[in-house]
Amino acid sequence: MEHILKACDAIKNATNNFAPEVGIILGTGLGGFVDSIDVKYRLEYKDIPNMPVSTVEGHKGCLIFGEVAGRKVVAMQGRFHYYEGYTMKQVTFPVRVMALLGIKTLFVSNAAGGINTSFCVGDLMIITDHINLLPNPLIGPNMAELGPRFPDMHDCYSSAIRAKATAIAEREGIKLQYGVYVGTTGPTFETQAEYRYFKAIGGDAVGMSTVPEVIVARHMGVPCFGVSVVTNCGLSDEKGDHEDVQLQGKKAGERMARLFTELIREI
Ligand code: HPA
């Protein structure tokens, strides 16, 4: 708790008490959304006390404070993954910080492998629910001042926000898919048998992020909205490739940015 408060204090000092309403986590290849932000402050992770520092290619390590559609936002350009060797407490540390800075909603994005065979590469999937196959970030003593010991996970991805996203996408002509995100540790992409297994247990897309951050946000009562960019289709014959994941993320990023911007305007 002390670590979280120290980071919050440093951020408040560096941003003249900028109070963001919306937190945004940008996934692999999706950092381009930053161009949609009227940036007021940019803080590198290394300059924030207790913040881990990102190591993956394509992930810059900055917290960006600014405005989107006239609303105050804080965006993470670069996130932390369990496969990098961080603890789950480190992976979710920035969410604790953003929540204590006062965000009222968390937007998360990621690159994911399509499991659902009706999905195409480049599709945007609104996350309707998740299956957690990572260690739970809430394991350990509960910080009761932050949330309950046994948090409810119904409506984990706010149905009210999803309904707004659907209306916006119809208006803007953005094709959407909907589905369940399976969160794995990585860093291996899945075997064909694992893809079939994830399909059998009800998954539509699989990736190596998002679930820990959403669990922690829900622990603190913050409503969440999540979008996956389908960068490859696991049940096809193609191989997983990090460069391709980044490229497909970039291409779909423009549509995702439009969806996020309009949603932020309306929530
Ligand atoms: N599996 C896991 N994570 C991913 C994938 C995948 O196929 N594609 C992009 N991120």
Side-chain angles (χ1 to χ4, degrees):
M1 190 67 197
E2 231 174 78
H3 287 179
I4 303 166
L5 290 175
K6 193 164 176 204
C8 285
D9 282 348
I11 290 169
K12 284 181 190 165
N13 280 334
T15 60
N16 198 17
N17 281 321
F18 191 91
E21 300 167 69
V22 179
I24 304 164
I25 304 178
L26 299 170
T28 306
L30 297 167
F33 177 73
V34 169
D35 295 340
S36 313
I37 304 177
D38 177 8
V39 178
K40 307 285 188 209
Y41 304 93
R42 189 185 295 264
L43 300 187
E44 289 194 32
Y45 293 159
K46 67 177 174 55
D47 297 327
I48 302 170
N50 307 315
M51 192 84 158
V53 175
S54 181
T55 62
V56 184
E57 266 177 74
H59 288 255
K60 284 191 198 147
C62 287
L63 263 194
I64 293 170
F65 294 82
E67 287 184 11
V68 173
R71 313 290 287 268
K72 287 180 170 177
V73 305
V74 53
M76 285 180 68
Q77 194 175 26
R79 62 141 65 88
F80 306 101
H81 302 87
Y82 185 63
Y83 63 74
E84 293 177 85
Y86 300 111
T87 64
M88 293 305 272
K89 294 277 181 279
Q90 288 177 305
V91 167
T92 54
F93 182 82
V95 177
R96 295 287 190 203
V97 170
M98 291 193 286
L100 287 187
L101 288 174
I103 62 165
K104 301 286 178 285
T105 316
L106 179 68
F107 283 33
V108 283
S109 60
N110 60 57
I115 298 169
N116 188 316
T117 47
S118 70
F119 292 178
C120 303
V121 168
D123 277 355
L124 297 182
M125 184 190 88
I126 302 297
I127 303 175
T128 55
D129 207 342
H130 72 223
I131 295 172
N132 183 27
L133 300 179
L134 284 142
N136 196 300
L138 303 181
I139 289 172
N142 184 49
M143 289 192 274
E145 62 273 48
L146 298 181
R149 173 72 288 187
F150 301 106
D152 184 77
M153 287 284 141
H154 282 83
D155 207 37
C156 200
Y157 298 83
S158 161
S159 48
I161 305 175
R162 284 189 273 132
K164 282 204 173 82
T166 298
I168 289 166
E170 271 172 22
R171 196 178 74 207
E172 298 276 321
I174 299 171
K175 177 187 173 194
L176 292 182
Q177 304 282 11
Y178 298 85
V180 173
Y181 178 89
V182 180
T184 66
T185 64
T188 45
F189 289 114
E190 287 63 35
T191 64
Q192 293 286 284
E194 285 163 344
Y195 269 111
R196 288 193 298 272
Y197 164 60
F198 292 157
K199 185 176 173 155
I201 63 172
D204 295 293
V206 54
M208 307 170 195
S209 66
T210 300
V211 170
E213 293 109 316
V214 167
I215 288 175
V216 164
R218 295 304 301 135
H219 179 240
M220 298 176 82
V222 176
C224 294
F225 175 71
V227 175
S228 293
V229 173
V230 178
T231 57
N232 54 295
C233 287
L235 290 167
S236 78
D237 290 333
E238 71 198 52
K239 289 188 181 166
D241 178 281
H242 186 62
E243 260 171 47
D244 208 39
V245 166
Q246 289 191 331
L247 177 73
Q248 293 302 337
K250 251 197 190 109
K251 282 194 193 163
E254 183 271 330
R255 272 171 291 138
M256 196 202 71
R258 226 167 357 122
L259 181 65
F260 272 19
T261 301
E262 291 311 307
L263 257 179
I264 290 168
R265 195 187 308 282
E266 292 186 19
I267 58 170

